[in-house]
Protein backbone atom coordinates (compact mmCIF):
# COMPACT_ATOMS: atom_id res chain seq x y z
CA UNK A 1 0.00 0.00 0.00
CA UNK A 2 2.80 2.40 0.91
CA UNK A 3 4.67 1.37 -2.21
CA UNK A 4 1.72 2.13 -4.52
CA UNK A 5 0.90 5.44 -2.81
CA UNK A 6 4.47 6.74 -2.96
CA UNK A 7 4.90 5.73 -6.60
CA UNK A 8 1.59 7.23 -7.71
CA UNK A 9 2.32 10.50 -5.92
CA UNK A 10 5.66 10.90 -7.69
CA UNK A 11 4.18 9.86 -11.03
CA UNK A 12 1.29 12.32 -10.74
CA UNK A 13 3.56 15.22 -9.92
CA UNK A 14 5.98 14.45 -12.73
CA UNK A 15 3.20 13.79 -15.24
CA UNK A 16 1.42 17.08 -14.55
CA UNK A 17 4.66 19.03 -14.87
CA UNK A 18 5.59 17.29 -18.11
CA UNK A 19 2.09 17.72 -19.55
CA UNK A 20 2.11 21.45 -18.75
CA UNK A 21 5.43 21.96 -20.51
CA UNK A 22 4.45 19.92 -23.57
CA UNK A 23 1.06 21.62 -23.87
CA UNK A 24 2.74 25.02 -23.75
CA UNK A 25 5.08 24.02 -26.55
CA UNK A 26 2.31 22.45 -28.66
CA UNK A 27 -0.05 25.41 -28.21
CA UNK A 28 2.70 27.82 -29.21
CA UNK A 29 3.57 25.81 -32.32
CA UNK A 30 -0.08 25.42 -33.30
CA UNK A 31 -0.68 29.14 -32.83
CA UNK A 32 2.20 29.97 -35.16
CA UNK A 33 0.95 27.42 -37.68
CA UNK A 34 -2.63 28.71 -37.53
CA UNK A 35 -1.50 32.32 -37.91
CA UNK A 36 0.41 31.25 -41.02
CA UNK A 37 -2.71 29.60 -42.43
CA UNK A 38 -4.75 32.73 -41.71
CA UNK A 39 -2.19 34.91 -43.46
CA UNK A 40 -2.45 32.66 -46.55
CA UNK A 41 -6.24 32.87 -46.55
CA UNK A 42 -6.89 29.24 -45.57
CA UNK A 43 -8.82 30.08 -42.39
CA UNK A 44 -10.66 33.12 -41.12
CA UNK A 45 -8.73 35.39 -38.72
CA UNK A 46 -11.74 35.31 -36.41
CA UNK A 47 -11.55 31.48 -36.21
CA UNK A 48 -7.87 31.26 -35.25
CA UNK A 49 -8.53 30.23 -31.66
CA UNK A 50 -11.11 27.63 -32.69
CA UNK A 51 -8.85 26.08 -35.32
CA UNK A 52 -5.95 26.05 -32.88
CA UNK A 53 -8.10 24.45 -30.18
CA UNK A 54 -9.35 21.72 -32.51
CA UNK A 55 -5.81 21.08 -33.75
CA UNK A 56 -4.44 20.75 -30.23
CA UNK A 57 -7.32 18.40 -29.35
CA UNK A 58 -6.46 16.22 -32.33
CA UNK A 59 -2.84 15.91 -31.23
CA UNK A 60 -3.64 15.27 -27.56
CA UNK A 61 -3.13 11.46 -27.85
CA UNK A 62 0.47 12.07 -28.88
CA UNK A 63 0.99 14.66 -26.13
CA UNK A 64 -0.49 12.39 -23.46
CA UNK A 65 1.57 9.42 -24.63
CA UNK A 66 4.81 11.39 -24.53
CA UNK A 67 3.93 12.91 -21.15
CA UNK A 68 3.22 9.47 -19.69
CA UNK A 69 6.43 8.01 -21.13
CA UNK A 70 8.61 10.87 -19.88
CA UNK A 71 6.87 10.92 -16.48
CA UNK A 72 7.53 7.20 -15.85
CA UNK A 73 11.15 7.41 -16.95
CA UNK A 74 11.73 10.61 -15.00
CA UNK A 75 10.20 9.20 -11.83
CA UNK A 76 12.11 5.92 -11.97
CA UNK A 77 15.35 7.72 -12.83
CA UNK A 78 14.94 9.97 -9.79
CA UNK A 79 14.30 6.93 -7.60
CA UNK A 80 17.49 5.33 -8.89
CA UNK A 81 19.48 8.53 -8.34
CA UNK A 82 18.17 8.96 -4.79
CA UNK A 83 18.74 5.27 -3.94
CA UNK A 84 15.03 4.68 -3.36
CA UNK A 85 15.09 1.75 -5.75
CA UNK A 86 17.76 0.10 -3.63
CA UNK A 87 15.47 0.31 -0.61
CA UNK A 88 12.55 -1.22 -2.50
CA UNK A 89 14.75 -3.97 -3.92
CA UNK A 90 16.15 -4.72 -0.46
CA UNK A 91 12.61 -5.00 0.92
CA UNK A 92 11.82 -7.78 -1.54
CA UNK A 93 10.18 -5.70 -4.29
CA UNK A 94 11.48 -6.77 -7.71
CA UNK A 95 11.60 -4.64 -10.84
CA UNK A 96 8.65 -6.52 -12.37
CA UNK A 97 6.61 -5.57 -9.30
CA UNK A 98 6.58 -1.97 -10.53
CA UNK A 99 4.55 -2.94 -13.60
CA UNK A 100 1.22 -3.38 -11.75
CA UNK A 101 1.24 0.05 -10.00
CA UNK A 102 2.39 1.70 -13.23
CA UNK A 103 -0.55 0.19 -15.12
CA UNK A 104 -2.96 1.19 -12.34
CA UNK A 105 -1.72 4.75 -12.66
CA UNK A 106 -1.70 4.73 -16.47
CA UNK A 107 -5.03 3.05 -17.30
CA UNK A 108 -7.16 6.26 -17.10
CA UNK A 109 -4.63 7.97 -19.38
CA UNK A 110 -4.62 5.01 -21.76
CA UNK A 111 -8.42 5.12 -21.87
CA UNK A 112 -8.33 8.86 -22.60
CA UNK A 113 -5.76 8.29 -25.36
CA UNK A 114 -7.99 5.61 -26.93
CA UNK A 115 -11.05 7.87 -26.87
CA UNK A 116 -9.14 10.84 -28.28
CA UNK A 117 -7.42 8.78 -30.99
CA UNK A 118 -10.52 6.89 -32.14
CA UNK A 119 -13.17 9.58 -31.62
CA UNK A 120 -11.55 12.93 -30.88
CA UNK A 121 -9.11 12.94 -33.81
CA UNK A 122 -11.73 12.54 -36.62
CA UNK A 123 -14.16 14.88 -34.85
CA UNK A 124 -11.57 17.67 -34.56
CA UNK A 125 -10.49 17.21 -38.18
CA UNK A 126 -14.12 17.46 -39.32
CA UNK A 127 -14.62 20.68 -37.35
CA UNK A 128 -11.49 22.22 -38.86
CA UNK A 129 -12.70 21.30 -42.36
CA UNK A 130 -16.08 22.90 -41.63
CA UNK A 131 -14.45 26.15 -40.51
CA UNK A 132 -12.20 26.25 -43.55
CA UNK A 133 -15.09 25.52 -45.88
CA UNK A 134 -17.27 28.23 -44.37
CA UNK A 135 -14.48 30.77 -44.70
CA UNK A 136 -13.67 29.67 -48.25
CA UNK A 137 -17.31 29.98 -49.21
CA UNK A 138 -17.66 33.41 -47.63
CA UNK A 139 -14.46 34.60 -49.23
CA UNK A 140 -15.68 33.80 -52.76
CA UNK A 141 -19.01 35.51 -52.16
CA UNK A 142 -17.20 38.55 -50.80
CA UNK A 143 -15.15 38.68 -53.99
CA UNK A 144 -18.23 39.66 -55.99
CA UNK A 145 -18.05 43.45 -56.20
CA UNK A 146 -20.34 45.32 -58.64
CA UNK A 147 -18.45 46.94 -61.49
CA UNK A 148 -15.28 44.83 -61.12
CA UNK A 149 -13.96 41.69 -62.77
CA UNK A 150 -13.26 39.09 -60.10
CA UNK A 151 -11.68 35.63 -60.17
CA UNK A 152 -12.80 32.81 -57.91
CA UNK A 153 -10.43 31.32 -55.31
CA UNK A 154 -10.22 28.10 -57.34
CA UNK A 155 -9.02 30.05 -60.39
CA UNK A 156 -11.58 28.37 -62.65
CA UNK A 157 -14.09 31.21 -62.98
CA UNK A 158 -14.13 34.93 -63.76
CA UNK A 159 -17.28 36.96 -63.24
CA UNK A 160 -18.49 40.53 -63.62
CA UNK A 161 -21.57 42.17 -62.10
CA UNK A 162 -23.02 45.44 -63.34
CA UNK A 163 -22.25 48.40 -61.11
CA UNK A 164 -25.94 49.30 -60.87
CA UNK A 165 -26.86 45.96 -59.23
CA UNK A 166 -28.70 46.50 -55.97
CA UNK A 167 -27.37 43.38 -54.18
CA UNK A 168 -25.08 40.45 -54.75
CA UNK A 169 -27.88 37.94 -54.33
CA UNK A 170 -29.92 39.53 -57.16
CA UNK A 171 -27.48 40.95 -59.73
CA UNK A 172 -27.98 42.32 -63.23
CA UNK A 173 -25.93 42.31 -66.43
CA UNK A 174 -23.69 39.34 -65.67
CA UNK A 175 -20.53 38.22 -67.42
CA UNK A 176 -19.37 34.76 -66.39
CA UNK A 177 -16.36 32.86 -67.81
CA UNK A 178 -15.20 29.34 -67.00
CA UNK A 179 -12.11 27.41 -68.01
CA UNK A 180 -11.16 23.78 -67.44
CA UNK A 181 -9.27 20.98 -69.17
CA UNK A 182 -12.37 19.87 -71.08
CA UNK A 183 -13.80 23.20 -72.19
CA UNK A 184 -13.87 26.98 -71.88
CA UNK A 185 -17.09 28.96 -71.86
CA UNK A 186 -18.28 32.56 -71.75
CA UNK A 187 -21.78 33.27 -70.50
CA UNK A 188 -23.71 36.53 -70.35
CA UNK A 189 -27.09 37.11 -68.72
CA UNK A 190 -29.42 39.88 -67.66
CA UNK A 191 -30.15 38.59 -64.18
CA UNK A 192 -28.39 36.25 -61.74
CA UNK A 193 -28.76 34.87 -58.24
CA UNK A 194 -26.44 32.94 -55.97
CA UNK A 195 -27.36 29.51 -54.58
CA UNK A 196 -25.41 27.70 -51.85
CA UNK A 197 -25.80 24.08 -50.86
CA UNK A 198 -24.21 20.63 -50.80
CA UNK A 199 -20.78 22.10 -50.16
CA UNK A 200 -20.83 24.19 -53.38
CA UNK A 201 -21.63 27.67 -54.63
CA UNK A 202 -23.72 27.95 -57.79
CA UNK A 203 -24.90 30.87 -59.88
CA UNK A 204 -28.32 30.81 -61.57
CA UNK A 205 -28.39 32.94 -64.73
CA UNK A 206 -31.56 34.11 -66.48
CA UNK A 207 -32.11 35.31 -70.07
CA UNK A 208 -28.70 35.17 -71.68
CA UNK A 209 -26.30 33.51 -74.11
CA UNK A 210 -23.52 30.98 -73.73
CA UNK A 211 -20.55 30.29 -76.02
CA UNK A 212 -18.68 27.09 -75.24
CA UNK A 213 -15.40 25.91 -76.81
CA UNK A 214 -14.92 22.16 -76.44
CA UNK A 215 -11.42 20.70 -76.32
CA UNK A 216 -10.02 17.26 -76.90
CA UNK A 217 -10.08 15.00 -79.90
CA UNK A 218 -13.18 16.68 -81.39
CA UNK A 219 -12.99 20.41 -80.70
CA UNK A 220 -16.16 22.33 -81.40
CA UNK A 221 -17.79 25.68 -80.73
CA UNK A 222 -21.32 25.82 -79.36
CA UNK A 223 -23.44 28.94 -79.03
CA UNK A 224 -26.81 28.81 -77.31
CA UNK A 225 -29.43 31.07 -75.83
CA UNK A 226 -31.20 30.18 -72.60
CA UNK A 227 -33.99 31.36 -70.36
CA UNK A 228 -32.35 29.91 -67.23
CA UNK A 229 -28.92 28.38 -66.75
CA UNK A 230 -27.22 27.09 -63.60
CA UNK A 231 -23.41 27.01 -63.41
CA UNK A 232 -20.90 25.93 -60.82
CA UNK A 233 -19.21 28.97 -59.34
CA UNK A 234 -16.89 27.20 -56.90
CA UNK A 235 -15.98 23.60 -56.29
CA UNK A 236 -15.43 22.74 -52.69
CA UNK A 237 -11.74 21.84 -52.51
CA UNK A 238 -11.97 20.95 -48.86
CA UNK A 239 -15.11 18.88 -49.02
CA UNK A 240 -17.50 19.42 -46.15
CA UNK A 241 -20.12 17.25 -47.84
CA UNK A 242 -17.52 14.58 -48.56
CA UNK A 243 -15.33 14.36 -45.49
CA UNK A 244 -11.69 13.56 -46.01
CA UNK A 245 -10.22 10.35 -44.72
CA UNK A 246 -8.82 11.96 -41.59
CA UNK A 247 -12.23 13.26 -40.58
CA UNK A 248 -14.02 9.96 -41.30
CA UNK A 249 -15.35 8.39 -38.06
CA UNK A 250 -13.66 5.20 -36.94
CA UNK A 251 -16.81 3.06 -37.24
CA UNK A 252 -17.30 4.29 -40.78
CA UNK A 253 -13.69 3.43 -41.59
CA UNK A 254 -14.30 -0.12 -40.37
CA UNK A 255 -17.48 -0.38 -42.44
CA UNK A 256 -15.74 0.80 -45.61
CA UNK A 257 -12.77 -1.50 -45.05
CA UNK A 258 -15.07 -4.53 -44.59
CA UNK A 259 -17.11 -3.50 -47.62
CA UNK A 260 -20.31 -2.96 -45.63
CA UNK A 261 -20.32 0.62 -46.94
CA UNK A 262 -19.06 1.34 -50.47
CA UNK A 263 -16.04 3.67 -50.82
CA UNK A 264 -17.10 7.21 -51.69
CA UNK A 265 -15.14 9.41 -54.06
CA UNK A 266 -13.55 12.38 -52.33
CA UNK A 267 -13.79 14.54 -55.45
CA UNK A 268 -17.24 15.83 -54.51
CA UNK A 269 -20.92 14.93 -54.35
CA UNK A 270 -21.32 15.22 -58.13
CA UNK A 271 -18.36 13.00 -58.94
CA UNK A 272 -19.07 9.57 -60.44
CA UNK A 273 -18.59 6.47 -58.27
CA UNK A 274 -14.97 5.36 -58.05
CA UNK A 275 -13.71 2.60 -60.29
CA UNK A 276 -12.57 -0.75 -58.95
CA UNK A 277 -8.96 0.40 -58.85
CA UNK A 278 -9.86 3.66 -57.14
CA UNK A 279 -12.05 1.78 -54.66
CA UNK A 280 -9.13 -0.48 -53.80
CA UNK A 281 -6.87 2.54 -53.27
CA UNK A 282 -9.49 4.15 -51.06
CA UNK A 283 -9.78 1.00 -48.94
CA UNK A 284 -6.02 0.97 -48.50
CA UNK A 285 -6.17 4.62 -47.46
CA UNK A 286 -8.97 3.82 -44.97
CA UNK A 287 -6.90 0.93 -43.60
CA UNK A 288 -3.84 3.15 -43.25
CA UNK A 289 -5.81 5.73 -41.29
CA UNK A 290 -7.24 3.03 -39.02
CA UNK A 291 -3.75 1.59 -38.49
CA UNK A 292 -2.55 5.05 -37.48
CA UNK A 293 -5.32 5.54 -34.91
CA UNK A 294 -5.03 2.06 -33.45
CA UNK A 295 -1.25 2.42 -33.43
CA UNK A 296 -1.45 5.46 -31.17
CA UNK A 297 -3.35 3.43 -28.58
CA UNK A 298 -1.10 0.36 -28.79
CA UNK A 299 2.03 2.50 -28.69
CA UNK A 300 0.83 4.19 -25.49
CA UNK A 301 0.51 0.77 -23.84
CA UNK A 302 3.99 -0.22 -25.00
CA UNK A 303 5.45 3.03 -23.67
CA UNK A 304 4.62 1.94 -20.11
CA UNK A 305 6.51 -1.32 -20.53
CA UNK A 306 9.41 0.30 -22.38
CA UNK A 307 9.80 3.01 -19.75
CA UNK A 308 10.14 0.41 -17.00
CA UNK A 309 12.56 -1.71 -19.03
CA UNK A 310 14.71 1.20 -20.23
CA UNK A 311 15.29 3.02 -16.96
CA UNK A 312 18.34 1.86 -15.07
CA UNK A 313 20.90 3.12 -12.60
CA UNK A 314 23.76 5.00 -14.24
CA UNK A 315 25.19 7.81 -12.08
CA UNK A 316 27.38 9.08 -14.92
CA UNK A 317 24.44 9.81 -17.23
CA UNK A 318 22.79 12.29 -14.87
CA UNK A 319 19.11 13.06 -14.65
CA UNK A 320 18.79 14.35 -18.22
CA UNK A 321 20.33 11.24 -19.77
CA UNK A 322 17.16 9.24 -19.23
CA UNK A 323 15.01 12.03 -20.69
CA UNK A 324 17.15 12.17 -23.83
CA UNK A 325 16.84 8.38 -24.15
CA UNK A 326 13.07 8.63 -23.75
CA UNK A 327 12.81 11.29 -26.46
CA UNK A 328 14.95 9.25 -28.87
CA UNK A 329 12.85 6.11 -28.32
CA UNK A 330 9.63 8.11 -28.73
CA UNK A 331 10.82 9.74 -31.97
CA UNK A 332 11.88 6.40 -33.46
CA UNK A 333 8.61 4.70 -32.48
CA UNK A 334 6.49 7.61 -33.74
CA UNK A 335 8.35 7.70 -37.07
CA UNK A 336 7.71 3.98 -37.45
CA UNK A 337 3.99 4.68 -36.98
CA UNK A 338 4.06 7.29 -39.73
CA UNK A 339 6.18 5.09 -41.99
CA UNK A 340 3.82 2.18 -41.50
CA UNK A 341 0.83 4.34 -42.38
CA UNK A 342 2.46 5.30 -45.68
CA UNK A 343 3.37 1.69 -46.46
CA UNK A 344 -0.16 0.46 -45.77
CA UNK A 345 -1.62 3.26 -47.91
CA UNK A 346 0.62 2.23 -50.82
CA UNK A 347 -0.24 -1.44 -50.35
CA UNK A 348 3.35 -2.44 -49.52
CA UNK A 349 2.25 -4.27 -46.35
CA UNK A 350 -1.18 -5.33 -45.00
CA UNK A 351 -2.51 -3.28 -42.12
CA UNK A 352 -2.99 -6.20 -39.74
CA UNK A 353 0.50 -7.52 -40.42
CA UNK A 354 2.03 -4.12 -39.70
CA UNK A 355 0.09 -3.68 -36.46
CA UNK A 356 1.08 -7.12 -35.24
CA UNK A 357 4.66 -6.86 -36.42
CA UNK A 358 5.43 -3.40 -35.06
CA UNK A 359 3.49 -3.23 -31.81
CA UNK A 360 3.66 -6.94 -31.07
CA UNK A 361 7.39 -6.91 -31.71
CA UNK A 362 7.93 -3.91 -29.44
CA UNK A 363 5.83 -5.61 -26.75
CA UNK A 364 7.91 -8.78 -26.94
CA UNK A 365 11.18 -6.84 -26.88
CA UNK A 366 10.05 -4.80 -23.87
CA UNK A 367 8.80 -7.88 -22.01
CA UNK A 368 12.02 -9.82 -22.67
CA UNK A 369 14.12 -6.84 -21.62
CA UNK A 370 12.13 -6.43 -18.41
CA UNK A 371 12.39 -10.17 -17.64
CA UNK A 372 16.14 -10.11 -18.20
CA UNK A 373 16.61 -7.15 -15.87
CA UNK A 374 14.29 -8.61 -13.25
CA UNK A 375 16.25 -11.87 -13.32
CA UNK A 376 19.51 -9.87 -13.29
CA UNK A 377 20.53 -11.55 -16.51
CA UNK A 378 22.98 -9.86 -18.88
CA UNK A 379 25.19 -10.77 -21.80
CA UNK A 380 28.28 -9.97 -19.73
CA UNK A 381 27.27 -12.44 -17.02
CA UNK A 382 26.52 -15.08 -19.62
CA UNK A 383 29.95 -14.58 -21.17
CA UNK A 384 31.64 -14.85 -17.77
CA UNK A 385 29.82 -18.11 -17.03
CA UNK A 386 30.89 -19.47 -20.40
CA UNK A 387 34.53 -18.62 -19.67
CA UNK A 388 34.28 -20.21 -16.20
CA UNK A 389 32.89 -23.42 -17.67
CA UNK A 390 35.58 -23.43 -20.32
Amino acid sequence: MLFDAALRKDLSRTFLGTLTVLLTVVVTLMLIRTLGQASKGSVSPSDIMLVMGYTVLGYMPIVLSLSLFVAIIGTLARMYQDSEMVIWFASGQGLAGFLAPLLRFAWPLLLAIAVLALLGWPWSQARILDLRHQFQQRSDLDRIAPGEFQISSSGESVFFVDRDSSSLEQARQIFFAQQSEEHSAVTTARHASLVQGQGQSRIVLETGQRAEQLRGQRPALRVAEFAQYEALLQRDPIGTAQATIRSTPTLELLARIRGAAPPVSLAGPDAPPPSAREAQQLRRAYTAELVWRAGLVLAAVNYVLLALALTSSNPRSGRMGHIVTALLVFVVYFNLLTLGQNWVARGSVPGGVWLLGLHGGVLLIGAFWLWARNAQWSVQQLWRRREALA
Side-chain angles (χ1 to χ4, degrees):
M1 188 67 181
L2 179 62
F3 172 68
D4 289 0
L7 186 59
R8 289 186 183 183
K9 182 179 180 180
D10 290 343
L11 286 172
S12 301
R13 182 169 57 248
T14 308
F15 174 78
L16 291 177
T18 306
L19 181 62
T20 302
V21 173
L22 290 179
L23 275 180
T24 303
V25 174
V26 171
V27 169
T28 303
L29 294 177
M30 291 301 103
L31 178 60
I32 296 174
R33 177 183 176 184
T34 308
L35 289 175
Q37 293 176 351
S39 64
K40 295 178 181 179
S42 299
V43 297
S44 173
S46 60
D47 295 333
I48 288 179
M49 297 306 296
L50 283 175
V51 174
M52 185 187 68
Y54 290 138
T55 305
V56 172
L57 178 63
Y59 286 98
M60 277 303 294
I62 303 175
V63 175
L64 290 176
S65 299
L66 180 57
S67 300
L68 179 62
F69 190 42
V70 173
I72 295 176
I73 288 185
T75 300
L76 296 179
R78 185 201 61 78
M79 295 175 68
Y80 274 112
Q81 294 288 339
D82 296 343
S83 300
E84 292 185 19
M85 296 294 285
V86 178
I87 298 175
W88 291 117
F89 291 157
S91 63
Q93 186 67 49
L95 185 62
F98 284 79
L99 185 58
L102 287 178
L103 291 176
R104 282 194 291 268
F105 169 80
W107 78 263
L109 298 175
L110 298 177
L111 180 60
I113 291 171
V115 173
L116 290 172
L118 300 178
L119 301 179
W121 167 258
W123 182 83
S124 63
Q125 294 300 311
R127 301 290 79 74
I128 293 174
L129 291 177
D130 289 341
L131 291 175
R132 288 181 177 177
H133 167 72
Q134 293 172 7
F135 174 69
Q136 192 72 23
Q137 196 174 56
R138 289 197 305 266
S139 64
D140 258 9
L141 297 180
D142 292 340
R143 291 173 186 266
I144 302 178
E148 298 180 4
F149 284 91
Q150 299 292 337
I151 185 171
S152 65
S153 59
S154 61
E156 298 179 352
S157 307
V158 177
F159 38 86
F160 175 84
V161 178
D162 185 33
R163 187 181 299 273
D164 296 332
S165 300
S166 58
S167 65
L168 299 180
E169 286 74 16
Q170 295 293 333
R172 295 182 298 175
Q173 303 300 329
I174 309 300
F175 171 86
F176 180 70
Q178 287 179 297
Q179 186 173 3
S180 64
E181 297 180 356
E182 295 80 12
H183 72 281
S184 60
V186 175
T187 307
T188 59
R190 294 184 180 181
H191 302 281
S193 58
L194 295 174
V195 178
Q196 303 178 36
Q198 297 182 349
Q200 295 181 342
S201 299
R202 295 180 177 271
I203 183 171
V204 179
L205 306 175
E206 300 178 359
T207 313
Q209 295 180 343
R210 175 179 173 83
E212 183 177 9
Q213 177 69 47
L214 299 179
R215 300 174 183 175
Q217 298 180 354
R218 296 181 179 180
L221 177 63
R222 298 177 180 176
V223 180
E225 296 183 355
F226 57 86
Q228 186 175 14
Y229 179 79
E230 183 176 341
L232 179 64
L233 179 63
Q234 174 196 0
R235 282 189 177 91
D236 182 11
I238 301 173
T240 300
Q242 291 295 340
T244 59
I245 295 177
R246 285 189 174 184
S247 61
T248 303
T250 303
L251 294 179
E252 185 176 344
L253 282 179
L254 290 172
R256 297 195 183 282
I257 292 172
R258 294 196 307 263
V264 180
S265 174
L266 301 178
D270 294 336
S275 62
R277 182 178 180 181
E278 292 175 346
Q280 185 179 5
Q281 293 176 351
L282 284 173
R283 287 194 177 94
R284 288 202 300 261
Y286 293 140
T287 305
E289 179 65 20
L290 185 62
V291 165
W292 161 261
R293 298 179 190 178
L296 292 177
V297 182
L298 297 176
V301 178
N302 284 337
Y303 284 141
V304 178
L305 184 62
L306 287 176
L308 182 58
L310 283 173
T311 311
S312 61
S313 177
N314 188 1
R316 295 183 179 180
S317 64
R319 294 181 182 272
M320 294 304 298
H322 297 88
I323 304 301
V324 173
T325 303
L327 293 177
L328 289 177
V329 172
F330 182 86
V331 169
V332 172
Y333 203 167
F334 184 78
N335 287 337
L336 288 176
L337 288 177
T338 306
L339 183 64
Q341 183 184 17
N342 295 332
W343 284 352
V344 173
R346 292 199 302 263
S348 302
V349 59
V353 173
W354 178 256
L355 280 177
L356 182 61
L358 175 61
H359 304 287
V362 172
L363 180 62
L364 291 178
I365 292 174
F368 175 77
W369 199 338
L370 179 60
W371 171 82
R373 289 195 56 203
N374 186 70
Q376 297 182 355
W377 179 87
S378 65
V379 178
Q380 186 177 5
Q381 291 179 355
L382 182 62
W383 182 260
R384 289 177 180 177
R385 290 179 182 178
R386 181 180 178 182
E387 290 182 347
L389 293 176

